[in-house]
Coordinates of all heavy atoms in Angstrom, one line a residue:
M1 N -15.4 6.0 -3.4 CA -16.5 5.9 -4.4 C -15.9 6.2 -5.8 O -15.3 7.3 -6.0 CB -17.5 7.0 -4.1 CG -18.7 7.0 -5.0 SD -20.1 8.0 -4.4 CE -19.5 9.6 -5.0
L2 N -16.0 5.2 -6.6 CA -15.2 5.3 -7.9 C -16.2 5.5 -9.0 O -17.2 4.7 -9.2 CB -14.5 4.0 -8.1 CG -13.5 3.6 -7.0 CD1 -12.8 2.3 -7.4 CD2 -12.5 4.7 -6.7
S3 N -16.0 6.5 -9.9 CA -16.7 6.7 -11.1 C -16.1 5.7 -12.2 O -15.4 4.8 -11.8 CB -16.7 8.1 -11.5 OG -17.5 8.3 -12.7
Y4 N -16.4 6.0 -13.4 CA -15.9 5.1 -14.5 C -14.7 5.6 -15.2 O -14.4 6.8 -15.1 CB -17.0 4.8 -15.5 CG -17.6 6.0 -16.1 CD1 -17.0 6.7 -17.2 CD2 -18.8 6.6 -15.6 CE1 -17.5 7.8 -17.8 CE2 -19.3 7.7 -16.2 CZ -18.6 8.3 -17.3 OH -19.2 9.5 -17.9
N5 N -14.0 4.6 -15.9 CA -12.9 4.9 -16.7 C -11.7 5.6 -15.9 O -11.2 6.6 -16.3 CB -13.2 5.8 -17.9 CG -12.1 5.7 -18.9 OD1 -11.4 4.6 -19.1 ND2 -11.9 6.8 -19.7
I6 N -11.4 5.1 -14.7 CA -10.4 5.6 -13.8 C -9.1 4.7 -14.1 O -9.2 3.5 -14.1 CB -10.8 5.5 -12.3 CG1 -11.9 6.4 -12.1 CG2 -9.6 5.8 -11.4 CD1 -12.6 6.2 -10.7
N7 N -7.9 5.4 -14.3 CA -6.7 4.7 -14.4 C -5.8 5.0 -13.3 O -5.6 6.1 -12.9 CB -6.0 5.1 -15.8 CG -6.7 4.6 -17.0 OD1 -6.5 3.4 -17.3 ND2 -7.5 5.4 -17.6
V8 N -5.2 3.9 -12.7 CA -4.3 4.0 -11.5 C -3.0 3.3 -12.0 O -3.0 2.1 -12.1 CB -4.9 3.4 -10.3 CG1 -4.0 3.5 -9.1 CG2 -6.2 4.1 -10.0
L9 N -1.9 4.0 -12.1 CA -0.6 3.5 -12.7 C 0.5 3.6 -11.8 O 1.0 4.8 -11.5 CB -0.3 4.2 -14.0 CG -1.4 4.2 -15.1 CD1 -0.9 5.1 -16.3 CD2 -1.7 2.8 -15.6
T10 N 1.0 2.6 -11.1 CA 2.1 2.7 -10.3 C 3.5 2.6 -11.0 O 4.5 2.7 -10.4 CB 2.1 1.5 -9.2 OG1 2.0 0.3 -10.0 CG2 0.9 1.6 -8.3
S11 N 3.4 2.5 -12.3 CA 4.6 2.4 -13.1 C 4.3 3.1 -14.5 O 3.2 3.2 -14.9 CB 4.9 0.9 -13.5 OG 5.7 0.8 -14.6
D12 N 5.4 3.7 -15.1 CA 5.2 4.3 -16.4 C 5.2 3.3 -17.5 O 5.0 3.6 -18.7 CB 6.3 5.4 -16.6 CG 6.2 6.5 -15.6 OD1 5.1 6.9 -15.3 OD2 7.3 6.9 -15.2
A13 N 5.5 2.1 -17.2 CA 5.5 1.0 -18.1 C 6.8 0.9 -19.0 O 7.1 -0.1 -19.5 CB 4.3 0.9 -19.0
H14 N 7.4 2.0 -19.2 CA 8.7 2.1 -19.9 C 9.7 2.9 -19.1 O 9.4 3.7 -18.3 CB 8.5 2.8 -21.3 CG 7.3 2.2 -22.1 ND1 7.4 1.0 -22.8 CD2 6.1 2.6 -22.2 CE1 6.3 0.7 -23.3 NE2 5.4 1.6 -22.9
L15 N 11.0 2.5 -19.4 CA 12.0 3.1 -18.5 C 12.6 4.4 -19.0 O 12.7 4.5 -20.2 CB 13.2 2.0 -18.3 CG 12.7 0.7 -17.8 CD1 13.9 -0.2 -17.6 CD2 12.0 0.8 -16.5
I16 N 13.0 5.3 -18.1 CA 13.8 6.5 -18.5 C 15.1 6.5 -17.7 O 15.0 6.2 -16.4 CB 13.0 7.8 -18.1 CG1 11.6 7.7 -18.8 CG2 13.8 9.0 -18.6 CD1 10.7 8.9 -18.3
F17 N 16.1 6.8 -18.3 CA 17.5 6.8 -17.6 C 18.1 8.2 -17.7 O 17.9 8.9 -18.7 CB 18.4 5.7 -18.3 CG 17.9 4.3 -18.1 CD1 17.2 3.8 -19.1 CD2 18.2 3.6 -17.0 CE1 16.7 2.5 -19.1 CE2 17.8 2.3 -16.9 CZ 17.0 1.7 -17.9
D18 N 18.9 8.5 -16.7 CA 19.8 9.7 -16.8 C 20.9 9.3 -17.9 O 21.5 8.2 -17.8 CB 20.5 9.9 -15.5 CG 21.4 11.1 -15.5 OD1 22.6 11.0 -16.1 OD2 21.0 12.2 -15.1
K19 N 21.0 10.2 -18.9 CA 22.0 9.9 -20.0 C 23.5 9.6 -19.5 O 24.1 8.8 -20.0 CB 22.0 11.1 -20.9 CG 22.7 10.9 -22.2 CD 22.6 12.1 -23.1 CE 23.6 12.0 -24.2 NZ 24.3 13.3 -24.5
N20 N 23.8 10.4 -18.5 CA 25.2 10.3 -18.0 C 25.5 9.1 -17.1 O 26.4 8.3 -17.3 CB 25.6 11.6 -17.4 CG 25.6 12.7 -18.4 OD1 26.1 12.6 -19.5 ND2 25.1 13.9 -17.9
T21 N 24.6 9.0 -16.1 CA 24.8 7.9 -15.0 C 24.2 6.6 -15.4 O 24.4 5.6 -14.7 CB 24.3 8.4 -13.7 OG1 22.8 8.6 -13.8 CG2 24.9 9.8 -13.3
K22 N 23.2 6.6 -16.4 CA 22.5 5.5 -16.7 C 21.5 5.0 -15.6 O 21.0 3.9 -15.6 CB 23.4 4.3 -17.2 CG 24.4 4.6 -18.2 CD 23.8 5.1 -19.4 CE 24.8 5.4 -20.5 NZ 24.4 6.3 -21.5
E23 N 21.4 5.9 -14.6 CA 20.5 5.6 -13.5 C 19.1 5.7 -13.9 O 18.7 6.6 -14.6 CB 20.8 6.5 -12.3 CG 20.3 6.1 -11.0 CD 20.8 7.1 -9.9 OE1 22.0 7.6 -10.0 OE2 20.0 7.4 -9.0
K24 N 18.2 4.8 -13.5 CA 16.8 4.8 -13.8 C 16.1 6.0 -13.0 O 16.4 6.1 -11.8 CB 16.2 3.5 -13.3 CG 14.6 3.4 -13.7 CD 14.1 2.1 -13.2 CE 12.6 2.1 -13.4 NZ 11.9 1.0 -12.7
I25 N 15.5 6.8 -13.7 CA 14.9 8.0 -13.1 C 13.4 8.0 -12.8 O 12.9 8.7 -12.1 CB 15.3 9.4 -13.7 CG1 14.8 9.3 -15.2 CG2 16.8 9.6 -13.7 CD1 15.1 10.6 -15.9
N26 N 12.7 7.1 -13.5 CA 11.3 7.0 -13.3 C 10.9 5.7 -12.5 O 10.4 4.7 -13.1 CB 10.5 7.1 -14.6 CG 10.7 6.0 -15.5 OD1 11.9 5.4 -15.6 ND2 9.7 5.7 -16.4
Q27 N 11.2 5.8 -11.2 CA 11.0 4.6 -10.3 C 9.5 4.4 -10.2 O 8.7 5.3 -10.1 CB 11.6 4.9 -8.9 CG 13.0 5.4 -8.9 CD 14.0 4.2 -9.4 OE1 13.6 3.1 -9.3 NE2 15.2 4.6 -9.7
N28 N 9.2 3.1 -10.1 CA 7.8 2.8 -9.7 C 7.5 3.2 -8.3 O 8.4 3.2 -7.5 CB 7.6 1.2 -9.8 CG 7.9 0.6 -11.2 OD1 8.0 1.4 -12.1 ND2 7.9 -0.7 -11.2
K29 N 6.3 3.6 -8.1 CA 6.0 4.1 -6.7 C 4.5 3.7 -6.4 O 3.7 3.7 -7.3 CB 6.1 5.6 -6.7 CG 7.4 6.2 -6.8 CD 7.4 7.7 -6.7 CE 8.7 8.3 -7.1 NZ 8.6 9.7 -7.5
D30 N 4.3 3.4 -5.1 CA 3.0 3.0 -4.6 C 2.1 4.3 -4.7 O 2.5 5.4 -4.8 CB 3.0 2.6 -3.2 CG 3.7 1.2 -3.0 OD1 3.8 0.5 -4.0 OD2 4.1 1.0 -1.8
I31 N 0.8 3.9 -4.8 CA -0.2 5.0 -4.7 C -1.1 4.7 -3.5 O -1.4 3.5 -3.2 CB -1.1 4.9 -6.0 CG1 -0.3 5.3 -7.2 CG2 -2.4 5.7 -5.9 CD1 -1.0 5.0 -8.6
I32 N -1.4 5.8 -2.7 CA -2.1 5.6 -1.5 C -3.4 6.4 -1.6 O -3.3 7.7 -1.7 CB -1.2 6.0 -0.3 CG1 0.0 5.1 -0.3 CG2 -2.1 5.9 1.0 CD1 1.0 5.6 0.8
I33 N -4.5 5.8 -1.5 CA -5.8 6.4 -1.5 C -6.5 6.2 -0.2 O -6.6 5.1 0.3 CB -6.7 5.9 -2.7 CG1 -6.0 6.2 -4.0 CG2 -8.0 6.6 -2.6 CD1 -6.5 5.5 -5.2
G34 N -6.8 7.3 0.5 CA -7.3 7.3 1.8 C -8.8 6.7 1.9 O -9.3 6.3 0.9
N35 N -9.4 6.8 3.0 CA -10.8 6.4 3.2 C -11.7 7.4 2.7 O -11.4 8.6 2.9 CB -11.0 6.1 4.7 CG -10.1 4.9 5.2 OD1 -10.1 3.8 4.5 ND2 -9.5 5.1 6.3
H36 N -12.9 6.9 2.2 CA -13.9 7.9 1.8 C -13.4 9.0 0.9 O -13.5 10.2 1.1 CB -14.6 8.5 3.1 CG -15.8 9.2 2.8 ND1 -15.9 10.6 2.9 CD2 -17.1 8.8 2.5 CE1 -17.2 10.9 2.6 NE2 -17.9 9.8 2.4
V37 N -12.9 8.4 -0.2 CA -12.3 9.3 -1.3 C -13.2 9.1 -2.5 O -13.5 7.9 -2.9 CB -10.8 9.0 -1.6 CG1 -10.4 9.8 -2.8 CG2 -10.0 9.5 -0.5
W38 N -13.6 10.2 -3.1 CA -14.5 10.1 -4.3 C -13.6 10.4 -5.5 O -13.0 11.5 -5.6 CB -15.6 11.1 -4.1 CG -16.4 11.5 -5.4 CD1 -16.4 10.8 -6.6 CD2 -17.3 12.5 -5.5 NE1 -17.3 11.4 -7.4 CE2 -17.9 12.4 -6.8 CE3 -17.8 13.5 -4.6 CZ2 -18.9 13.4 -7.2 CZ3 -18.7 14.4 -5.1 CH2 -19.3 14.4 -6.3
I39 N -13.5 9.5 -6.4 CA -12.7 9.7 -7.7 C -13.6 9.9 -8.9 O -14.4 9.0 -9.2 CB -11.7 8.5 -7.9 CG1 -10.9 8.3 -6.6 CG2 -10.8 8.8 -9.1 CD1 -9.9 7.2 -6.7
G40 N -13.5 11.0 -9.5 CA -14.4 11.4 -10.6 C -14.1 10.6 -11.9 O -13.0 10.0 -12.0
M41 N -15.0 10.7 -12.8 CA -14.9 10.0 -14.1 C -13.7 10.4 -14.9 O -13.2 11.6 -14.9 CB -16.1 10.2 -14.9 CG -16.2 11.7 -15.3 SD -17.7 12.0 -16.4 CE -18.9 12.4 -15.1
N42 N -13.0 9.4 -15.5 CA -11.8 9.6 -16.3 C -10.6 10.2 -15.7 O -9.7 10.7 -16.4 CB -12.2 10.5 -17.6 CG -13.3 9.9 -18.4 OD1 -13.0 8.8 -19.0 ND2 -14.4 10.4 -18.5
A43 N -10.6 10.0 -14.3 CA -9.4 10.4 -13.6 C -8.2 9.5 -14.0 O -8.3 8.3 -14.2 CB -9.6 10.4 -12.1
M44 N -7.0 10.1 -14.0 CA -5.7 9.4 -14.3 C -4.9 9.6 -13.1 O -4.5 10.8 -12.8 CB -5.1 9.9 -15.6 CG -3.7 9.4 -15.8 SD -3.7 7.6 -16.4 CE -4.1 7.9 -18.1
I45 N -4.5 8.6 -12.4 CA -3.7 8.7 -11.1 C -2.3 8.0 -11.4 O -2.2 6.8 -11.6 CB -4.5 8.1 -10.0 CG1 -5.8 8.8 -9.8 CG2 -3.6 8.1 -8.7 CD1 -6.7 8.2 -8.8
L46 N -1.3 8.8 -11.3 CA 0.1 8.3 -11.6 C 0.8 7.9 -10.4 O 0.4 8.2 -9.2 CB 0.8 9.4 -12.4 CG 0.2 9.8 -13.8 CD1 1.2 10.8 -14.5 CD2 0.0 8.6 -14.7
K47 N 2.0 7.3 -10.6 CA 2.8 6.7 -9.6 C 3.2 7.8 -8.5 O 3.4 8.9 -8.9 CB 4.2 6.2 -10.2 CG 5.0 7.2 -10.8 CD 6.2 6.5 -11.6 CE 7.3 7.5 -12.0 NZ 6.7 8.5 -13.0
G48 N 3.2 7.3 -7.3 CA 3.5 8.3 -6.2 C 2.4 9.1 -5.6 O 2.6 9.8 -4.6
V49 N 1.2 9.0 -6.2 CA 0.2 9.9 -5.7 C -0.3 9.5 -4.3 O -0.4 8.3 -4.0 CB -1.0 9.9 -6.7 CG1 -2.3 10.4 -6.1 CG2 -0.7 10.7 -8.0
E50 N -0.6 10.4 -3.5 CA -1.3 10.1 -2.3 C -2.4 11.1 -2.1 O -2.3 12.4 -2.3 CB -0.3 10.3 -1.1 CG -0.7 9.7 0.2 CD 0.4 9.6 1.2 OE1 1.6 9.5 0.8 OE2 0.1 9.6 2.4
I51 N -3.6 10.6 -1.8 CA -4.8 11.5 -1.5 C -5.4 11.1 -0.3 O -5.7 9.9 0.0 CB -5.7 11.4 -2.8 CG1 -6.8 12.4 -2.7 CG2 -6.3 10.0 -3.0 CD1 -6.6 13.7 -3.3
K52 N -5.6 12.0 0.6 CA -6.0 11.7 2.0 C -7.5 11.6 2.1 O -8.2 11.9 1.2 CB -5.5 12.8 2.9 CG -4.0 13.0 2.9 CD -3.2 12.0 3.8 CE -1.8 12.4 3.9 NZ -1.0 11.4 4.6
D53 N -7.9 11.1 3.4 CA -9.3 10.8 3.7 C -10.2 12.0 3.3 O -9.9 13.2 3.4 CB -9.4 10.6 5.2 CG -8.7 9.3 5.6 OD1 -8.1 8.6 4.8 OD2 -8.7 9.1 6.9
N54 N -11.4 11.6 3.0 CA -12.6 12.5 2.7 C -12.3 13.5 1.6 O -12.9 14.6 1.7 CB -12.9 13.3 4.0 CG -13.1 12.3 5.1 OD1 -13.8 11.4 5.1 ND2 -12.3 12.6 6.3
S55 N -11.5 13.1 0.6 CA -11.2 14.1 -0.4 C -11.9 13.7 -1.8 O -12.5 12.6 -1.8 CB -9.7 14.1 -0.7 OG -9.1 14.7 0.5
I56 N -11.8 14.5 -2.8 CA -12.3 14.3 -4.1 C -11.3 14.6 -5.1 O -10.6 15.6 -5.0 CB -13.6 15.3 -4.3 CG1 -14.6 15.1 -3.1 CG2 -14.2 15.1 -5.6 CD1 -15.8 16.1 -3.2
I57 N -11.3 13.7 -6.1 CA -10.6 14.0 -7.4 C -11.5 14.3 -8.5 O -12.4 13.5 -8.8 CB -9.7 12.8 -7.7 CG1 -8.6 12.5 -6.6 CG2 -9.0 12.9 -9.1 CD1 -7.8 11.2 -6.8
G58 N -11.4 15.4 -9.1 CA -12.4 15.9 -10.1 C -12.3 15.1 -11.4 O -11.3 14.4 -11.7
A59 N -13.4 15.2 -12.1 CA -13.5 14.5 -13.4 C -12.3 14.9 -14.4 O -11.9 16.1 -14.3 CB -14.8 14.8 -14.1
Y60 N -11.8 14.0 -15.1 CA -10.7 14.2 -16.1 C -9.5 14.7 -15.5 O -8.6 15.3 -16.2 CB -11.2 15.1 -17.2 CG -12.1 14.4 -18.2 CD1 -13.5 14.4 -17.9 CD2 -11.7 13.8 -19.3 CE1 -14.4 13.9 -18.8 CE2 -12.6 13.2 -20.2 CZ -13.9 13.2 -20.0 OH -14.8 12.6 -20.8
S61 N -9.2 14.5 -14.2 CA -8.0 15.1 -13.5 C -6.8 14.1 -13.8 O -7.0 13.0 -13.8 CB -8.3 15.2 -12.1 OG -9.2 16.2 -11.8
L62 N -5.7 14.8 -13.9 CA -4.4 14.0 -14.1 C -3.6 14.3 -12.8 O -3.1 15.4 -12.6 CB -3.6 14.5 -15.3 CG -2.2 13.8 -15.4 CD1 -2.4 12.3 -15.7 CD2 -1.4 14.4 -16.5
V63 N -3.6 13.3 -11.9 CA -3.1 13.5 -10.6 C -1.7 12.9 -10.6 O -1.5 11.8 -10.9 CB -3.9 12.8 -9.5 CG1 -3.5 13.3 -8.1 CG2 -5.4 13.1 -9.7
T64 N -0.7 13.8 -10.2 CA 0.7 13.4 -10.4 C 1.6 13.5 -9.1 O 2.8 13.1 -9.2 CB 1.4 14.4 -11.4 OG1 1.3 15.8 -10.8 CG2 0.7 14.4 -12.8
K65 N 1.0 13.8 -8.0 CA 1.9 14.0 -6.8 C 1.0 13.8 -5.5 O -0.1 13.6 -5.6 CB 2.5 15.3 -6.8 CG 1.4 16.4 -6.7 CD 2.1 17.8 -6.6 CE 1.1 18.9 -6.2 NZ 1.6 20.2 -6.0
K66 N 1.8 13.9 -4.4 CA 1.1 13.7 -3.1 C 0.4 14.9 -2.6 O 1.0 16.0 -2.8 CB 2.2 13.4 -2.0 CG 2.8 12.1 -2.2 CD 3.9 11.8 -1.0 CE 4.6 10.5 -1.3 NZ 5.5 10.2 -0.3
F67 N -0.7 14.8 -2.1 CA -1.4 15.9 -1.4 C -1.5 15.5 0.1 O -2.0 14.4 0.4 CB -2.8 16.1 -2.0 CG -2.7 16.6 -3.4 CD1 -2.7 15.7 -4.5 CD2 -2.7 18.0 -3.7 CE1 -2.6 16.2 -5.8 CE2 -2.5 18.5 -4.9 CZ -2.6 17.6 -6.0
C68 N -1.1 16.4 0.9 CA -0.9 16.0 2.3 C -2.1 16.3 3.2 O -2.2 15.8 4.3 CB 0.3 16.8 2.9 SG 1.8 16.4 2.1
N69 N -3.1 17.1 2.7 CA -4.2 17.5 3.6 C -5.4 16.6 3.3 O -5.7 16.2 2.2 CB -4.6 18.9 3.4 CG -3.6 19.9 3.7 OD1 -2.6 19.5 4.4 ND2 -3.6 21.1 3.2
E70 N -6.2 16.3 4.4 CA -7.5 15.7 4.2 C -8.5 16.6 3.8 O -8.3 17.9 3.8 CB -7.9 15.0 5.6 CG -6.9 14.0 6.1 CD -7.3 13.4 7.3 OE1 -8.3 13.8 8.0 OE2 -6.7 12.4 7.8
N71 N -9.7 16.2 3.3 CA -10.8 17.0 3.0 C -10.6 18.1 2.0 O -10.9 19.3 2.2 CB -11.3 17.6 4.4 CG -11.8 16.5 5.4 OD1 -10.9 16.0 6.1 ND2 -13.1 16.3 5.5
I72 N -10.0 17.7 0.9 CA -9.7 18.6 -0.1 C -10.3 18.1 -1.5 O -10.6 17.0 -1.6 CB -8.2 18.9 -0.4 CG1 -7.5 17.5 -0.7 CG2 -7.6 19.5 0.9 CD1 -6.0 17.7 -1.1
I73 N -10.5 19.1 -2.4 CA -10.8 18.6 -3.8 C -9.6 19.0 -4.7 O -9.1 20.1 -4.6 CB -12.0 19.5 -4.3 CG1 -13.3 19.3 -3.4 CG2 -12.4 19.0 -5.8 CD1 -14.5 20.0 -3.9
V74 N -9.1 18.0 -5.4 CA -8.1 18.4 -6.4 C -8.7 18.1 -7.8 O -9.5 17.2 -8.0 CB -6.8 17.5 -6.2 CG1 -6.2 17.7 -4.8 CG2 -7.1 16.0 -6.4
A75 N -8.3 18.9 -8.7 CA -8.8 18.8 -10.1 C -7.8 19.5 -11.1 O -7.0 20.3 -10.7 CB -10.2 19.4 -10.2
G76 N -8.0 19.1 -12.3 CA -7.2 19.7 -13.4 C -6.1 18.9 -13.9 O -5.9 17.8 -13.5
N77 N -5.3 19.4 -14.8 CA -4.1 18.8 -15.4 C -3.0 19.7 -15.4 O -3.0 20.6 -16.3 CB -4.5 18.3 -16.8 CG -3.3 17.7 -17.5 OD1 -2.2 17.5 -16.9 ND2 -3.5 17.3 -18.8
P78 N -2.0 19.6 -14.6 CA -1.9 18.6 -13.5 C -2.9 19.0 -12.4 O -3.2 20.2 -12.2 CB -0.4 18.6 -13.0 CG 0.0 20.0 -13.3 CD -0.8 20.4 -14.5
A79 N -3.4 18.0 -11.6 CA -4.4 18.3 -10.6 C -3.8 19.2 -9.4 O -2.6 19.0 -9.0 CB -4.9 17.0 -10.0
K80 N -4.6 20.2 -9.1 CA -4.1 21.1 -8.0 C -5.3 21.2 -7.1 O -6.5 20.8 -7.4 CB -3.8 22.5 -8.6 CG -2.6 22.5 -9.5 CD -2.2 24.0 -9.8 CE -1.1 24.0 -10.9 NZ 0.0 23.1 -10.7
I81 N -5.1 21.7 -5.8 CA -6.2 21.9 -4.9 C -7.1 23.0 -5.4 O -6.6 24.1 -5.6 CB -5.6 22.2 -3.5 CG1 -4.8 21.0 -3.0 CG2 -6.8 22.5 -2.5 CD1 -4.1 21.3 -1.7
I82 N -8.4 22.7 -5.5 CA -9.4 23.7 -5.9 C -10.2 24.1 -4.7 O -10.8 25.2 -4.7 CB -10.2 23.3 -7.1 CG1 -11.0 22.1 -6.9 CG2 -9.3 23.2 -8.4 CD1 -12.1 21.9 -7.9
K83 N -10.4 23.2 -3.7 CA -11.1 23.6 -2.5 C -10.6 22.8 -1.3 O -10.1 21.7 -1.5 CB -12.6 23.2 -2.7 CG -13.3 24.1 -3.7 CD -14.8 24.0 -3.7 CE -15.4 24.9 -4.8 NZ -16.8 24.8 -5.1
E84 N -10.7 23.4 -0.2 CA -10.2 22.8 1.1 C -11.3 22.8 2.1 O -12.3 23.5 1.9 CB -9.0 23.6 1.6 CG -7.8 23.6 0.7 CD -6.6 24.4 1.2 OE1 -6.7 25.7 1.1 OE2 -5.7 23.8 1.7
N85 N -11.1 22.0 3.2 CA -12.1 21.9 4.3 C -13.5 21.6 3.8 O -14.5 22.2 4.2 CB -12.1 23.2 5.0 CG -10.8 23.5 5.7 OD1 -10.2 22.7 6.3 ND2 -10.3 24.8 5.5
I86 N -13.5 20.6 2.8 CA -14.8 20.1 2.4 C -15.2 18.8 3.0 O -14.3 18.1 3.5 CB -14.9 20.0 0.8 CG1 -13.9 19.0 0.3 CG2 -14.6 21.3 0.2 CD1 -14.3 17.6 0.2
E87 N -16.5 18.4 3.0 CA -16.9 17.1 3.3 C -17.8 16.7 2.2 O -18.4 17.5 1.5 CB -17.7 17.0 4.6 CG -16.8 17.3 5.8 CD -17.6 17.2 7.1 OE1 -18.8 17.5 7.1 OE2 -17.0 16.8 8.1
W88 N -18.0 15.4 1.9 CA -18.9 15.0 0.9 C -19.7 13.8 1.3 O -19.2 13.0 2.2 CB -18.2 14.7 -0.5 CG -17.2 13.6 -0.4 CD1 -15.9 13.5 -0.1 CD2 -17.6 12.2 -0.8 NE1 -15.4 12.3 -0.2 CE2 -16.4 11.4 -0.6 CE3 -18.8 11.5 -1.2 CZ2 -16.4 10.0 -0.8 CZ3 -18.8 10.2 -1.3 CH2 -17.6 9.4 -1.2
Q89 N -20.8 13.6 0.7 CA -21.6 12.4 1.0 C -22.1 11.8 -0.4 O -22.3 12.5 -1.3 CB -22.7 12.6 1.9 CG -23.7 13.7 1.4 CD -24.8 14.0 2.5 OE1 -24.5 13.9 3.7 NE2 -26.0 14.4 2.0
R90 N -22.4 10.4 -0.4 CA -22.7 9.7 -1.5 C -24.1 10.1 -2.0 O -25.0 10.2 -1.3 CB -22.7 8.2 -1.2 CG -22.9 7.3 -2.4 CD -22.7 5.9 -2.0 NE -23.0 5.0 -3.1 CZ -22.1 4.5 -3.9 NH1 -20.8 4.7 -3.7 NH2 -22.4 3.7 -4.9
Ligands
COA101 C1 -14.7 18.1 -8.6 C2 -16.1 18.6 -8.6 C3 -16.9 17.7 -7.7 C4 -16.0 20.0 -7.9 O1 -17.3 20.6 -7.9 P1 -17.5 22.0 -7.1 O2 -17.0 22.0 -5.7 O3 -18.9 22.4 -7.4 O4 -16.4 22.9 -7.9 P2 -16.7 24.3 -8.8 O5 -17.7 24.0 -9.9 O6 -17.1 25.3 -7.8 O7 -15.3 24.6 -9.4 C5 -14.3 25.3 -8.7 C6 -13.1 25.6 -9.6 O8 -12.5 24.3 -10.0 C7 -12.6 24.1 -11.3 N1 -12.9 22.7 -11.6 C8 -14.0 22.0 -11.1 N2 -13.9 20.7 -11.5 C9 -12.8 20.6 -12.3 C10 -12.3 19.5 -13.0 N3 -12.9 18.3 -12.9 N4 -11.1 19.8 -13.7 C11 -10.6 21.0 -13.7 N5 -11.1 22.0 -13.0 C12 -12.2 21.9 -12.3 C13 -13.7 25.0 -11.8 O9 -13.5 25.4 -13.2 C14 -13.5 26.2 -10.9 O10 -12.5 27.0 -11.3 P3 -12.4 28.6 -11.1 O11 -12.4 28.8 -9.6 O12 -11.1 29.0 -11.8 O13 -13.7 29.1 -11.6 C15 -16.7 18.7 -9.9 O14 -16.3 19.8 -10.7 C16 -16.5 17.4 -10.8 O15 -15.4 17.2 -11.3 N6 -17.6 16.7 -10.9 C17 -17.7 15.4 -11.6 C18 -17.6 14.3 -10.6 C19 -17.8 12.9 -11.2 O16 -17.0 12.4 -12.0 N7 -18.9 12.3 -10.7 C20 -19.1 10.9 -11.0 C21 -20.2 10.7 -12.0 S1 -20.5 9.0 -12.4

């Protein structure tokens, strides 16, 4: 369930390299969103994020990493787990 003004970015759009090795350090990464996930308004979801089934992303959250548990609420900047063992309905 998607609110408005949600951004989902699998790339940073510009490259970052290690100064010494010249290796690219900001690799593009897939984003995996489970079933029955509610994404709040103005959420920003960056490369590599994974959010599991029955979870919620709070309004204005900046989500930057994988969350391994189902049925959680993540929120804030950077998004952290604020509640666990939740269920939600439309
Ligand atoms: C994520 C959300 C559903 C959680 O609601 P909730 O379970 O009632 O959470 P609470 O209000 O009890 O907040 C719990 C804690 O998380 C914090 N928190 C809640 N939502 C937050 C958010 N979006 N960003 C940062 N922190 C948040 C609260 O400040 C509180 O912190 P504390 O424990 O330090 O006091 C709700 O806050 C939210 O973001 N709602 C907007 C959803 C939306 O966009 N709907 C679509 C409309 S079109």
Side-chain angles (χ1 to χ4, degrees):
M1 184 170 77
L2 305 180
S3 184
Y4 56 84
N5 198 32
I6 294 165
N7 287 283
V8 180
L9 306 175
T10 55
S11 156
D12 295 324
H14 307 283
L15 304 182
I16 306 172
F17 297 93
D18 181 281
K19 185 179 170 217
N20 297 317
T21 65
K22 309 298 182 204
E23 199 174 321
K24 183 181 171 191
I25 58 177
N26 62 332
Q27 307 292 344
N28 299 349
K29 291 179 194 159
D30 288 341
I31 291 169
I32 301 173
I33 297 172
N35 295 313
H36 193 252
V37 169
W38 167 11
I39 305 181
M41 63 180 89
N42 296 297
M44 171 75 78
I45 300 173
L46 299 185
K47 63 187 190 300
V49 162
E50 196 166 332
I51 186 91
K52 302 276 193 191
D53 295 355
N54 308 311
S55 294
I56 302 171
I57 296 175
Y60 286 87
S61 296
L62 178 63
V63 192
T64 60
K65 63 176 191 176
K66 290 183 185 183
F67 291 93
C68 298
N69 297 343
E70 298 182 352
N71 300 81
I72 58 172
I73 305 178
V74 302
N77 179 2
K80 296 188 186 317
I81 296 174
I82 61 165
K83 290 190 181 171
E84 296 178 283
N85 298 314
I86 60 93
E87 291 181 329
W88 67 268
Q89 59 186 28
R90 191 175 173 97

